[in-house]
Each structure stands twice: as structure tokens, then as C-alpha cells.
Amino acid sequence: MTKYNKDRAFTDYVHKNLAVPLIYNSLQWTEVQLKRDYAKYIDMMDGIDYVFRNGDSIMSVQERFREEKYKSFADFTIRYRRDQNKIEDRHESEYYKMKAHYFTYGIINSSKKNVVESSDFIKYAIIDLKKVYKKIDSGDIFISDNNKNRCEIINNSKIECPVKYNPDGSSSFFPIDISYLVKLWGNDMVIAQKGFL
């Protein structure tokens, strides 16, 4: 099984067995069943993993789940670039194409290898990506390839996010500290959470 297939199997398992019953059901979000080709298309082109409905409201969601060894981290991560990819139009990653309204980020209470033993999230958050991208567009959140490990609050008004590189060279990403979003711009940046604040 390829690394992508292992990661996909992990994410699919966590989505079905933890995220739906523990997060989305409590928000009364019902998953919309999409045609397979359309689901694949919006994932690749728009960074949307799932679509949910709550009454007349439609919510598009990007998901990322981590194993318990990441429990000390207070941020969520957005994939930035894949400059080593042989196909040039795949160099720009989810940051450039993300159209999902929400980002669900969770850390489970088991290792990835033992995902079937997981029973809960140590931490999770649903972040309003539209509000995050507005802050990026305005410069209140900015990405900096500064060799730092964590994001920082600058001048009590902006968040500087470092570019981080995966050790295997496959891609880069940047973290955004969830508590910083709330500290600077209030609770409406995070619509649901456990363990981050």
C-alpha cells in the first residue's frame, strides 16, 4: 500500500468512526452523499473533502487528522507547496486551491498504526476558513519562510506563520496556532473545539 493510500485509509477511518459520530452529529450536520467522480473532482480542484447539510445551510469541509503523538501541538496545518512533484501544475498545494468553508482538524487518542483502537479525539477544532483566508488576504496572517518552528503574534495584531518542510521532501506546509486566532479575532474563528483552548 502506498503512503497516500495508507494516509487516505487512516483519514477515512477517522472520519467515519470518530468525526461523524463525535463532532458532526453533535452539530446536527448531515453528510451529503456525493457521486464518486464529483467528490474526487472537488477534492483535487477545490480542497473539499466532504459536504454537509444542516437545515438549509450547506457546509463544505477539508479534514486533517493526526495521531496522538501530535497532541502537544496547538496549531492546524495547511499544505503549501509540492515543488518536488514532477508534474508542474501540482506544485501549488491546498493553500492555493482551498475553497472549503471549514477546516476540521483533529488529534486522535491512538497511533496511526492502531487507528482501530481509537475511541475519541484528544483535540479537535472546526476552523472557519473563509475568515482565515480574509485575514491572509488582508496581511493580518502572513506566511514567512523564516526557519522558525512555530507561528508568532507580531505587534499584537498579526500572525506570522513559518513555512515547514516535510523531511521526505514531498511538500511544505504552514501552521496556524488556533489559540492565536481566538486571541486576536474572537471565538467566531473557531466554531467548535475540544482541547485547543
Side-chain angles (χ1 to χ4, degrees):
M1 188 181 280
T2 67
K3 181 181 184 317
Y4 172 82
N5 288 338
K6 285 180 186 175
D7 289 348
R8 185 79 251 168
F10 169 76
T11 298
D12 289 346
Y13 183 90
V14 174
H15 169 79
K16 180 181 178 185
N17 294 284
L18 297 175
V20 169
L22 300 175
I23 300 174
Y24 301 123
N25 286 352
S26 67
L27 296 170
Q28 298 179 336
W29 289 13
T30 303
E31 188 174 337
V32 176
Q33 297 304 313
L34 304 172
K35 291 185 178 181
R36 186 176 301 194
D37 288 345
Y38 181 67
K40 186 175 181 180
Y41 176 82
I42 63 172
D43 181 22
M44 287 179 48
M45 302 307 292
D46 300 330
I48 295 171
D49 290 329
Y50 296 99
V51 175
F52 293 88
R53 178 185 296 276
N54 181 348
D56 292 334
S57 299
I58 300 290
M59 291 75 64
S60 57
V61 175
Q62 167 74 232
E63 289 184 338
R64 175 127 338 101
F65 301 121
R66 298 282 186 244
E67 59 187 322
E68 67 181 339
K69 72 179 183 180
Y70 294 98
K71 66 184 177 186
S72 65
F73 289 90
D75 48 41
F76 73 102
T77 59
I78 296 177
R79 290 186 190 108
Y80 190 46
R81 298 193 57 84
R82 298 178 186 274
D83 290 325
Q84 303 304 315
N85 194 304
K86 293 176 184 174
I87 302 169
E88 192 171 334
D89 68 355
R90 293 187 184 165
H91 287 191
E92 293 182 344
S93 196
E94 69 187 13
Y95 165 72
Y96 296 93
K97 64 182 179 180
M98 186 94 68
K99 293 180 183 166
H101 193 154
Y102 298 105
F103 196 110
T104 299
Y105 192 83
I107 300 169
I108 64 169
N109 66 350
S110 76
S111 67
K112 185 180 275 192
K113 183 174 72 173
N114 296 320
V115 66
V116 296
E117 296 175 11
S118 61
S119 60
D120 202 354
F121 289 98
I122 297 168
K123 297 178 176 180
Y124 72 79
I126 300 179
I127 296 104
D128 188 324
L129 273 181
K130 299 290 184 196
K131 291 179 181 174
V132 169
Y133 271 76
K134 273 188 181 174
K135 295 297 182 186
I136 291 172
D137 291 344
S138 72
D140 290 330
I141 296 174
F142 63 98
I143 303 158
S144 176
D145 199 350
N146 59 13
N147 294 317
K148 293 185 178 177
N149 285 324
R150 300 195 185 270
C151 52
E152 297 179 350
I153 294 178
I154 307 296
N155 299 326
N156 292 316
S157 63
K158 297 178 185 289
I159 299 175
E160 179 180 19
C161 303
V163 177
K164 305 294 294 170
Y165 296 88
N166 286 312
D168 64 3
S170 63
S171 63
S172 61
F173 62 92
F174 62 93
I176 301 177
D177 190 299
I178 293 168
S179 67
Y180 292 179
L181 293 175
V182 173
K183 181 176 181 177
L184 292 181
W185 300 298
N187 288 327
D188 64 338
M189 297 290 280
V190 179
I191 65 155
Q193 72 86 33
K194 169 188 172 181
F196 277 106
L197 303 174

